């Protein structure tokens, strides 16, 4: 008899062979399977799915619950063909209302304090790695996983060019960087090579053990740095995340274009490509990323219509 765990593992393996990464999806699905095993359930039921989806002591966010249930629903539709007793949670159970989380946009002063806070990390090489790691997405908009995934050969310090390979949506892209960023990366590379003259990994950014940075293990240290820098979430906002460095870069870029009087609509595709967005709508979302940016966009629109309502 095939167990639910075997069915789930085979399902994930099948979809990954088709090109889906399913990192978060897979974690959530296996968490649900573990829940069923803990409760001795051998059949996937709507009751169990709802109980697991809402079993989040640290969160009462209904959007979060609905996303958890959606993982079960997708798997249940597949499992139903193999195990007829499977129940598919109905679509109107914890209905999904998409809500994009408002990002924390770091001010220049906050970024300075955050970078300064890395100096307290020990040993000194760990402090240098974190200083470089935080600075990289702040000035390039790289995703956390993209910064961790950079190999030495991906960082061309002569041409000032980063090659980001096979990331989200299976895309690769080249990211030009400022001369100041090249100088900082070159300084880090020298210190890294002194620390690890015989590297055990091709990664550009490495841990004190000489291994590639693991993006799943970074949030804990980042929270410590936020606390040391005195950076807190605004009222009713979620705690700042590493990914908000990318949001800050994108919003700051758009703000500068508006202040320079550039044709932002014409330049948006450039930012889409630079950030590695698959859909331009993901870049347009940043127009509402900050009150100042939204105000500038509204003023530009009003001017285009000659002040007419």
């Amino acid at each position: 008899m095939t167990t639910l765990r075997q069915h789930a593992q085979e399902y994930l393996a099948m979809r990954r062979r088709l090109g889906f990464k399913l990192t978060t999806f897979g974690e959530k699905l296996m968490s649900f399977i573990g829940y069923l095993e803990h409760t001795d359930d051998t059949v996937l039921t709507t009751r169990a799915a709802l109980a697991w989806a809402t079993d989040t002591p640290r969160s009462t966010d209904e959007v979060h619950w609905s996303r958890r249930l959606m993982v079960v629903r997708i798997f249940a539709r597949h499992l139903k063909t193999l195990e007829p007793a499977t129940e598919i949670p109905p679509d109107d159970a914890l209905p999904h209302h998409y809500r994009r989380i408002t990002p924390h946009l770091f001010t220049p002063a906050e970024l300075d304090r955050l970078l300064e806070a890395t100096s307290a990390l020990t040993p000194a090489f760990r402090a240098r790695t974190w200083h470089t790691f935080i600075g990289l997405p702040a000035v390039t908009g790289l995703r956390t996983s993209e910064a961790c995934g950079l190999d030495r050969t991906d960082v061309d310090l002569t041409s000032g060019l980063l090659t980001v390979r096979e990331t989200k949506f299976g895309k690769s892209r080249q990211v030009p960087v400022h001369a100041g960023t090249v100088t900082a990366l070159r300084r880090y590379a020298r210190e890294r090579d002194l620390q690890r003259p015989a590297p055990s990994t091709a990664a550009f950014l490495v841990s004190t053990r000489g291994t590639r940075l693991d993006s799943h293990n970074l949030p804990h240290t980042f929270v410590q740095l936020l606390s040391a820098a005195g950076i807190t979430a605004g009222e009713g906002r979620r705690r700042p995340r590493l990914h908000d460095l990318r949001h800050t870069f994108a919003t700051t870029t758009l703000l500068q274009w508006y202040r320079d009087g550039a044709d932002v609509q014409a330049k948006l595709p450039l930012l889409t490509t630079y950030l590695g967005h698959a859909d331009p709508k993901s870049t347009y979302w940043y127009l509402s990323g900050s009150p100042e940016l939204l105000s500038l966009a509204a003023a530009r629109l009003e001017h285009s219509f000659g002040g007419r309502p």
Side-chain angles (χ1 to χ4, degrees):
M1 177 180 175
T2 305
T3 65
L4 287 171
R5 179 169 291 274
Q6 289 172 314
H7 279 309
Q9 290 171 337
E10 291 170 0
Y11 171 74
L12 292 173
M14 174 191 69
R15 291 198 64 193
R16 284 169 177 151
R17 286 195 296 270
L18 294 173
F20 296 94
K21 293 185 178 180
L22 301 179
T23 303
T24 303
F25 183 99
E27 291 173 354
K28 283 184 169 59
L29 178 57
M30 298 315 296
S31 170
F32 174 61
I33 296 300
Y35 176 87
L36 294 179
E37 291 172 341
H38 178 73
T39 56
D40 294 325
D41 283 309
T42 57
V43 176
L44 194 164
T45 64
T46 297
R47 173 196 56 77
L50 285 169
W52 171 80
T54 57
D55 184 22
T56 54
R58 290 186 296 176
S59 174
T60 57
D61 187 344
E62 293 183 0
V63 174
H64 179 55
W65 289 348
S66 69
R67 288 173 178 169
R68 283 164 61 88
L69 185 63
M70 190 180 299
V71 169
V72 178
R73 187 181 293 120
I74 292 170
F75 173 63
R77 288 169 181 157
H78 161 81
L79 187 62
K80 181 75 172 178
T81 63
L82 305 173
E83 301 288 350
T86 299
E87 295 178 9
I88 301 174
D91 291 339
D92 59 359
L94 301 179
H96 179 67
H97 301 290
Y98 183 74
R99 186 192 71 207
R100 193 157 189 176
I101 297 169
T102 302
H104 178 92
L105 301 178
F106 292 96
T107 66
E110 286 179 331
L111 285 173
D112 286 343
R113 297 203 306 271
L114 192 58
L115 290 169
E116 184 179 350
T118 63
S119 62
L121 296 174
T122 56
F125 178 64
R126 181 173 178 236
R128 173 55 61 186
T129 297
W130 265 95
H131 189 279
T132 306
F133 171 72
I134 287 176
L136 199 52
V139 299
T140 64
L142 290 185
R143 299 178 177 94
T144 300
S145 59
E146 292 173 346
C148 294
L150 287 173
D151 285 344
R152 287 169 169 78
T153 54
D154 297 329
V155 182
D156 185 346
L157 298 176
T158 301
S159 303
L161 200 65
L162 307 180
T163 301
V164 184
R165 303 182 188 278
E166 293 296 316
T167 60
K168 195 172 183 180
F169 310 112
K171 290 191 171 188
S172 299
R173 69 187 189 280
Q174 291 187 314
V175 178
V177 295
H178 188 271
T181 303
V182 170
T183 299
L185 293 176
R186 183 174 284 118
R187 185 188 308 119
Y188 172 77
R190 283 198 300 266
E191 294 188 26
R192 179 204 61 209
D193 293 344
L194 286 173
Q195 290 285 327
R196 294 284 172 178
S200 59
T201 175
F204 183 80
L205 295 169
V206 298
S207 69
T208 52
R209 300 191 305 276
T211 58
R212 185 184 299 275
L213 295 181
D214 185 344
S215 59
H216 292 91
N217 295 333
L218 300 176
H220 177 69
T221 299
F222 187 66
V223 168
Q224 293 177 334
L225 293 173
L226 288 171
S227 178
I231 301 172
T232 58
E235 186 176 352
R237 300 283 185 95
R238 67 179 295 172
R239 185 172 58 197
R241 305 162 298 157
L242 276 166
H243 200 65
D244 289 330
L245 293 168
R246 172 176 166 89
H247 292 322
T248 300
F249 168 82
T251 305
T252 301
T253 299
L254 288 168
L255 277 169
Q256 192 59 54
W257 284 348
Y258 271 110
R259 291 166 182 160
D260 292 344
D263 185 345
V264 176
Q265 294 295 325
K267 292 176 74 93
L268 266 173
L270 299 177
L271 186 58
T272 295
T273 301
Y274 193 87
L275 291 172
H277 284 155
D279 187 341
K281 288 188 294 185
S282 296
T283 314
Y284 274 86
W285 172 74
Y286 284 112
L287 291 176
S288 60
S290 77
E292 183 182 359
L293 187 54
L294 193 59
S295 176
L296 286 169
R300 182 71 63 86
L301 183 63
E302 183 180 356
H303 177 75
S304 298
F305 284 91
R308 296 190 303 272

